[in-house]
Amino acid sequence: MTLVDYDISDDSYYLFACAELKTREVEFLEKNRVDRMLQSKGLDDFIGILRDTVYSKYINYMRKSRSFEKVIVSEYSTTVNFLDQRLKPDHRDDEDVIGLDENLHNLKVIVKSIILDIDLRKLFVPILHSYDELRDAAAGDYKEVDPAVAEMLKFAVELIDKQKNYRLMELELEKFYLGKVVNFIESLNSRLLSDYLKHIIDILNIKNIYRNKHLAEDLSFDYFLHENGFLPKEFMAKFEGGSLDSFVKRIERTDYADIVTKGTYALHSEDIFSSFDKSEDLFCLDFFDPVKFTVSNLEKIFQFFLRKKVELKYLNIIFTGVLYGIENSKIKNRVRV
């Protein structure tokens, strides 16, 4: 990654919030504990390693339910409550950026559940709202969701009538959602957060092109390429007629070399896209390294909860892998340590 010298201003408004989060950094699991989890012989081993951690309060639940869902729901709820209570009113949409992947995923799940008329709550990741709240809102009962979510759902429901191709519907929803996030980030006047989103858009474009070529989708790049990244849409569009190899070789000369190199290897060796996600997580966490030289600001708060989100994601992967007896090496391939 190209190192950039960001001039991040401290904001006295966030002095208490950042001091509070500083004391909470002990919550993050140290590397040797995660390593031990990856060597777990069964669920009891995994759960035992969580004793004396912030997750110990969920041990009885995990043991009885053999599920990690409540842990994710509870921790995300704590995150949302913290942001609602500590952020300036015009900064509170920050939670939409932190949970961008999950929010977009949830919207797609709701749309699919309506189209197929089936319950897809098992695919849902509860963050700001439950599955039932969003499903009811999509049916016209918007009073239980905030205005921003209501707007997204209205757009999604209208798409169902206009667009019969589900893949194209997903891509239109993706563009609409990202447009909203871009507008919010621009309003913050934070160069670091603005550049973070540009990287996210670049990575999304790279994954979309990779998927298109790997699956030989007969789909114009114009449907899924997003504006506002560091790599111009016009530049990315040039690869539409080329081979996957030529695309990979060109991207290997950008900041995203590690993501595409490791993602390509995983795809060919295990036929999975998960290593793209792992390398993307590492990229994003490293990107926020300049924040450590600051004291109190929105960027520092964002960094803390980005770390929390990634940790929860990988704990869930390890938990699920151990629960179903997946080979340790395969779990480790999907987890940042």
Side-chain angles (χ1 to χ4, degrees), residues 73-324:
V73 173
S74 178
E75 291 297 315
Y76 266 120
S77 177
T78 299
T79 295
V80 171
N81 287 337
F82 182 96
L83 296 175
D84 281 345
Q85 294 169 16
R86 306 292 195 282
L87 297 188
K88 297 176 181 178
D90 55 346
H91 287 178
R92 285 177 189 158
D93 282 346
D94 211 31
E95 58 201 28
D96 287 336
V97 186
I98 294 173
L100 189 151
D101 293 340
E102 292 82 4
N103 290 332
L104 190 52
H105 166 81
N106 285 342
L107 284 166
K108 291 176 181 178
V109 168
I110 294 299
V111 168
K112 194 168 187 176
S113 74
I114 294 171
I115 293 171
L116 300 178
D117 193 25
I118 56 176
D119 191 319
L120 294 177
R121 70 181 68 241
K122 287 187 177 180
L123 301 178
F124 192 82
V125 184
I127 304 177
L128 300 176
H129 300 285
S130 69
Y131 175 86
D132 289 328
E133 284 173 339
L134 288 195
R135 194 67 172 78
D136 290 344
D141 183 12
Y142 295 104
K143 64 180 182 294
E144 297 299 326
V145 299
D146 62 76
V149 173
E151 183 182 11
M152 286 300 304
L153 283 170
K154 287 176 183 176
F155 179 81
V157 172
E158 288 173 2
L159 269 181
I160 295 174
D161 294 327
K162 295 177 184 176
Q163 178 58 261
K164 300 306 178 186
N165 183 309
Y166 179 69
R167 176 71 177 137
L168 296 183
M169 191 184 302
E170 276 191 325
L171 295 172
E172 284 191 51
L173 192 58
E174 196 172 89
K175 283 192 174 184
F176 186 79
Y177 185 86
L178 268 179
K180 295 292 180 184
V181 173
V182 167
N183 289 338
F184 167 68
I185 289 291
E186 287 177 351
S187 74
L188 297 177
N189 294 316
S190 166
R191 185 182 170 209
L192 184 135
L193 290 178
S194 177
D195 283 0
Y196 167 76
L197 185 58
K198 288 179 181 178
H199 282 307
I200 293 298
I201 290 171
D202 281 343
I203 294 167
L204 183 56
N205 280 338
I206 289 169
K207 291 194 292 187
N208 279 343
I209 291 176
Y210 207 109
R211 170 177 171 161
N212 174 273
K213 292 192 173 295
H214 179 70
L215 300 178
E217 288 183 327
D218 184 18
L219 196 64
S220 167
F221 275 25
D222 192 53
Y223 283 114
F224 57 71
L225 285 182
H226 301 283
E227 305 272 9
N228 301 302
F230 282 112
L231 301 177
K233 183 178 176 181
E234 295 74 22
F235 167 78
M236 303 298 273
K238 292 178 181 177
F239 297 102
E240 185 162 2
S243 68
L244 179 57
D245 284 344
S246 64
F247 171 67
V248 169
K249 287 176 181 175
R250 181 62 186 87
I251 298 302
E252 284 176 345
R253 301 203 296 271
T254 70
D255 285 343
Y256 312 109
D258 202 47
I259 293 174
V260 76
T261 301
K262 291 180 178 178
T264 299
Y265 175 79
L267 192 56
H268 288 301
S269 61
E270 300 179 42
D271 198 30
I272 56 172
F273 279 93
S274 61
S275 191
F276 280 97
D277 296 333
K278 176 182 174 181
S279 299
E280 180 181 350
D281 292 333
L282 288 169
F283 182 97
C284 292
L285 291 172
D286 287 344
F287 178 74
F288 277 87
D289 193 57
V291 171
K292 70 184 178 185
F293 301 110
T294 67
V295 177
S296 62
N297 45 62
L298 180 63
E299 292 87 346
K300 205 169 186 72
I301 294 172
F302 188 99
Q303 180 202 37
F304 180 92
F305 289 109
L306 182 64
R307 285 180 65 190
K308 174 62 73 173
K309 169 187 165 179
V310 171
E311 180 169 277
L312 284 169
K313 175 180 176 179
Y314 290 129
L315 283 176
N316 187 35
I317 290 171
I318 298 171
F319 177 93
T320 304
V322 171
L323 179 64
Y324 291 104

